[in-house]
Amino acid sequence: MKMGEGEKEAINGDVVSNGQVVLKRRLNLLSGIALIVGNVVGSGIFISPKGVLRESGSIGLSLIIWLFSGIFSLLGIISYAELGTSIVKSGGEYTYIKETFGYELPAFLASFVYLIILSPTAIVIISLTFATYIIQPFFPECDEPPENLRIIFATLCFTILTFINGVSVKLATRVQVIFTIAKLSALTIIIVTGIVEICKGNVSNFDNAFEGSTTSAGAIALACYSGLFAYEGWNGLNFVVEEMSRPHRNLPIANVVSMIIVTSVYLLTIVAYFTAMTKAEMLESPAVAITFADRLLGVMSWIIPISVAMSCFGAVNGCIFAYSRCFFVAARDGNLPPFFGFINIKRYTPLPALIFNMVMCCIMVMFTNIEDLINYFSFAVWLMIGASVAGMVYLRFKKPDLPRPVKVPLAIPIIFVILCAFLVVLSLYEAPRDCGIGAAMVLLGVPFYFICVYWRNKWPKSLGNAHNKVEEFLQVLTASMPQKKTD
């Protein structure tokens, strides 16, 4: 694939290319690992333990499902290592669907789904959990803090982080590293406390660990779904490949190391939870980590809710950083309004995409039923991820000579795609209403594609002029300009 001089400069990380701004390569190996771990370890480990346990029926089976969820995610992230090093472009699923299948409509729908569902839903889910844990200590007698306060604090969370991401990429990556260390420290406290309890002999909850295990395939599948939610976000680094230094080396290393860290920490954390709570007590707990802290940490129990809130704060930062690049790349390619593909000329950040993402989050935060949001999010994300990895398999035959610095055994992506298809079918069977809403949102993108993309050159002159004036106004307002499209 031959590139012009402007594209070469962009790939090498220059700030300006032929008079046009480009995003800098600010991400090294450490910040890449921090981005993935920070994206994954957010609210899931503090929400999902009950879901896995409830559906599996026993402590032993729930631990097996947590391990399976980690292995499943590892298969996906290994496949994404090949995708990210053979297609060295930012944008995640949008880019992979576009580059592998070559059709504009599916790629547009991928970016549209991220714009409307995936990005704001993920950010809002974690922001609401941040709000719950930061407020909960002030309302010890309440199972849930006041809803209005949760919405206010959640909105403050993603608004502040949008501002940070708009000011500086370097600052955003520093925030990511700091809060990733904070969340791992919080989980380390839980893990070490659990190990101490085990050394004391407090292992009675593990007696007859498989008693009550479900034999229903549907229940086991739902338990896996709940566990996999806690691993969501492992694909985040592939959204920002163009901003990575030495991506052919750093991307695969960061992917694999991050998933090993997350899986190990998750398993040890779940074991620690069970040293303090029985199965019934965990299912009844409104906030598992806080219940654990209240029972075992005494006067220092306040550390856990604050630490969990910090964990969620870092996860929101990672989501904002990664998902905004999907909109940026899609706009740069002409599949979203061009304004989303502009870069602030002073800060070298995709400011317009960040602002629009924040607006969508402000709308989504009004829908405060987390269970519904999780269902919308899971159905759409597995559909997009499965299609991306299926495209990787397709490329093996369509472009066998494509340079592949990382080439995984073909069995890995094939197994992963089959499991993704199973998850999508399961969603349709178990939650048809939620999936129907998700499917409707996807199909809603079809008329938008034809009106805003396919027929853009056929717009009436007056509409085109009005669009250009609005775009010019927003460009001046955000002090931004377009980046050259990469081929």
Side-chain angles (χ1 to χ4, degrees):
M1 183 167 57
K2 189 176 181 180
M3 295 182 293
E5 290 302 317
E7 287 81 9
K8 289 180 181 178
E9 291 174 6
I11 291 295
N12 289 330
D14 291 348
V15 176
V16 179
S17 174
N18 293 338
Q20 295 185 326
V21 294
V22 299
L23 297 178
K24 293 182 178 181
R25 289 188 175 270
R26 293 288 195 187
L27 292 173
N28 56 25
L29 179 59
L30 175 62
S31 53
I33 293 173
L35 180 63
I36 298 175
V37 175
N39 270 6
V40 176
V41 183
S43 62
I45 188 63
F46 308 106
I47 294 177
S48 294
K50 294 190 292 183
V52 174
L53 183 60
R54 180 173 57 249
E55 298 298 339
S56 64
S58 72
I59 292 174
L61 184 55
S62 70
L63 289 173
I64 290 175
I65 289 171
W66 277 102
L67 177 60
F68 167 79
S69 299
I71 294 173
F72 178 85
S73 301
L74 182 61
L75 294 178
I77 208 167
I78 290 173
S79 300
Y80 265 53
E82 177 174 328
L83 276 169
T85 54
S86 57
I87 304 173
V88 193
K89 293 184 179 181
S90 297
E93 284 75 55
Y94 159 79
T95 296
Y96 301 143
I97 292 172
K98 179 176 181 290
E99 294 293 326
T100 55
F101 297 112
Y103 296 106
E104 293 289 339
L105 179 57
F108 171 84
L109 291 178
S111 63
F112 183 82
V113 168
Y114 267 106
L115 194 72
I116 302 299
I117 306 174
L118 300 186
S119 174
T121 299
I123 291 169
V124 167
I125 287 173
I126 305 171
S127 296
L128 287 170
T129 305
F130 161 82
T132 298
Y133 276 84
I134 203 74
I135 298 171
Q136 187 73 45
F138 300 100
F139 297 89
E141 303 302 323
C142 300
D143 288 342
E144 290 284 346
E147 192 63 29
N148 289 339
L149 275 180
R150 289 181 74 228
I151 293 175
I152 291 172
F153 274 81
T155 304
L156 284 173
C157 175
F158 60 72
T159 301
I160 290 171
L161 287 170
T162 298
F163 173 78
I164 290 173
N165 276 266
V167 167
S168 169
V169 172
K170 182 181 289 187
L171 178 59
T173 56
R174 286 178 179 173
V175 167
Q176 192 67 22
V177 172
I178 291 170
F179 280 90
T180 297
I181 293 172
K183 68 181 65 182
L184 290 178
S185 300
L187 291 172
T188 299
I189 292 173
I190 293 174
I191 291 167
V192 171
T193 304
I195 292 173
V196 170
E197 291 300 305
I198 291 174
C199 292
K200 289 179 180 179
N202 295 331
V203 293
S204 59
N205 289 336
F206 297 100
D207 295 337
N208 302 315
F210 289 91
E211 183 178 349
S213 296
T214 183
T215 56
S216 167
I220 292 174
L222 287 175
C224 291
Y225 219 122
S226 189
L228 287 169
F229 169 72
Y231 286 89
E232 297 284 5
W234 52 260
N235 56 339
L237 194 57
N238 286 66
F239 283 81
V240 295
V241 174
E242 292 177 28
E243 295 173 69
M244 288 193 70
S245 61
R246 303 176 67 188
H248 295 113
R249 171 187 176 273
N250 290 339
L251 178 66
I253 295 175
N255 278 2
V256 175
V257 170
S258 299
M259 195 47 55
I260 292 173
I261 291 173
V262 170
T263 302
S264 302
V265 168
Y266 274 9
L267 284 172
L268 292 172
T269 301
I270 299 301
V271 169
Y273 283 156
F274 285 124
T275 65
M277 287 170 277
T278 65
K279 180 175 73 174
E281 289 169 339
M282 180 178 282
L283 292 175
E284 292 172 0
S285 172
V288 175
I290 289 180
T291 300
F292 177 90
D294 289 340
R295 294 190 177 185
L296 296 183
L297 296 183
V299 294
M300 299 301 292
S301 62
W302 60 270
I303 292 175
I304 294 301
I306 299 300
S307 298
V308 173
M310 293 175 67
S311 169
C312 295
F313 193 78
V316 173
N317 181 70
C319 288
I320 291 172
F321 185 88
Y323 292 144
S324 62
R325 272 55 178 180
C326 178
F327 315 146
F328 168 78
V329 174
R332 186 181 66 188
D333 290 346
N335 282 316
L336 285 179
F339 176 63
F340 294 161
F342 288 4
I343 300 173
N344 182 270
I345 59 176
K346 296 180 179 179
R347 305 292 182 177
Y348 305 107
T349 59
L351 187 59
L354 288 164
I355 292 173
F356 187 83
N357 191 42
M358 183 184 69
V359 172
M360 290 303 303
C361 290
C362 289
I363 296 172
M364 190 65 76
V365 78
M366 297 294 104
F367 300 93
T368 53
N369 188 323
I370 290 183
E371 293 297 327
D372 284 346
L373 293 178
I374 290 175
N375 288 335
Y376 300 154
F377 178 48
S378 297
F379 165 76
V381 75
W382 290 117
L383 187 62
M384 297 294 106
I385 290 174
S388 298
V389 178
M392 188 191 95
V393 176
Y394 174 66
L395 273 185
R396 287 286 188 93
F397 301 95
K398 180 184 177 183
K399 297 181 179 180
D401 297 326
L402 180 71
R404 292 178 173 87
V406 175
K407 189 173 183 178
V408 304
L410 197 57
I412 291 178
I414 290 176
I415 292 171
F416 184 78
V417 170
I418 292 172
L419 291 174
C420 284
F422 174 76
L423 288 172
V424 172
V425 172
L426 176 67
S427 298
L428 292 170
Y429 178 77
E430 294 290 343
R433 174 185 169 275
D434 294 334
C435 292
I437 294 174
M441 290 181 177
V442 173
L443 294 176
L444 187 64
V446 174
F448 274 90
Y449 169 75
F450 282 102
I451 294 172
C452 300
V453 178
Y454 191 76
W455 292 327
R456 181 180 296 167
N457 294 332
K458 298 181 181 180
W459 284 1
K461 186 176 181 180
S462 57
L463 179 61
N465 290 338
H467 172 270
N468 292 337
K469 288 180 179 179
V470 170
E471 188 174 277
E472 289 172 3
F473 170 76
L474 294 175
Q475 183 175 357
V476 173
L477 186 66
T478 58
S480 58
M481 64 183 295
Q483 175 184 342
K484 181 183 286 292
K485 175 182 173 182
T486 59
D487 296 324

